[in-house]
Amino acid sequence: MLIAICCLSCPSQSYPEELKLQSLSIRARVSEQTLLGDDAPEDFEVYDLAANFSLPWQDYSTSGWGMGTRLMVSAGMLQATGGNAFVVSAIPDLTLGSENGRFTLDLGAGGALLSKYRFGVQDYGGPFQFALTFGVGVPLFNNLGLGYRFLHYSDAGVNGSDTTGADFHMIELSYRF
């Protein structure tokens, strides 16, 4: 209740009139290793397009370094034995780095929807998956950047204990606006 009162009493200028597009990225899976949970019984290929939008909560010093928030939305393809799935996700992120987005370190948690959730012997449990992510990005040339992203999908046991999520190590090529 206290949080709701604080949010309602904040001045209106602390909220942007619209989300500002920060960057677009093309991402692809590059590794089969897992970090969280059990090893996935299926080998997945993942390709997607992600867009990052700035959120209003940020604190950068006069040097241009600090922390901010953003919303990462993506749409792409998940491929494995038994077919393909269209995947969309929305993940709020906390970012550390430069205000211009050239150097970033981010951590986020959100959700994803899969058009198909059974692949061969692997069952994600349902179309909704919790999504956890960690990423780092560095400048490559002018507005182009290169990054690494770890992405984890799991139903967190909501659909039973016999479901398996998946971990993806991805490379991203991004363009900053």
Side-chain angles (χ1 to χ4, degrees):
M1 184 67 163
L2 181 60
I3 293 172
I5 291 170
C6 289
C7 289
L8 291 173
S9 66
C10 289
S12 62
Q13 68 260 24
S14 67
Y15 300 98
E17 292 181 20
E18 61 184 59
L19 293 175
K20 181 182 173 197
L21 180 62
Q22 287 181 323
S23 65
L24 288 175
S25 300
I26 297 172
R27 308 186 302 199
R29 181 178 182 192
V30 293
S31 172
E32 298 177 19
Q33 296 177 347
T34 60
L35 295 176
L36 302 174
D38 297 329
D39 287 343
E42 295 291 333
D43 185 25
F44 289 93
E45 294 294 326
V46 182
Y47 307 97
D48 69 11
L49 176 65
N52 289 302
F53 297 92
S54 62
L55 294 176
W57 306 281
Q58 57 186 343
D59 186 22
Y60 291 95
S61 68
T62 55
S63 68
W65 293 87
M67 58 188 257
T69 57
R70 68 181 182 188
L71 177 64
M72 181 187 339
V73 295
S74 68
M77 184 67 62
L78 183 63
Q79 299 174 326
T81 303
N84 303 327
F86 180 67
V87 181
V88 294
S89 69
I91 304 172
D93 278 342
L94 175 63
T95 62
L96 302 171
S98 60
E99 188 172 13
N100 64 8
R102 289 177 54 88
F103 296 93
T104 59
L105 178 66
D106 67 75
L107 179 66
L113 289 174
L114 283 64
S115 64
K116 176 182 181 153
Y117 56 91
R118 289 190 182 106
F119 297 87
V121 297
Q122 182 160 350
D123 183 358
Y124 279 89
F128 177 79
Q129 298 291 302
F130 293 100
L132 301 173
T133 190
F134 163 80
V136 61
V138 296
L140 194 57
F141 178 75
N142 289 336
N143 290 8
L144 292 178
L146 187 64
Y148 162 81
R149 174 141 324 271
F150 170 75
L151 182 61
H152 172 78
Y153 289 147
S154 171
D155 73 348
V158 171
N159 296 303
S161 61
D162 58 343
T163 62
T164 304
D167 298 329
F168 306 119
H169 300 273
M170 305 173 84
I171 287 290
E172 347 182 78
L173 180 62
S174 61
Y175 181 83
R176 287 182 330 283
F177 294 96

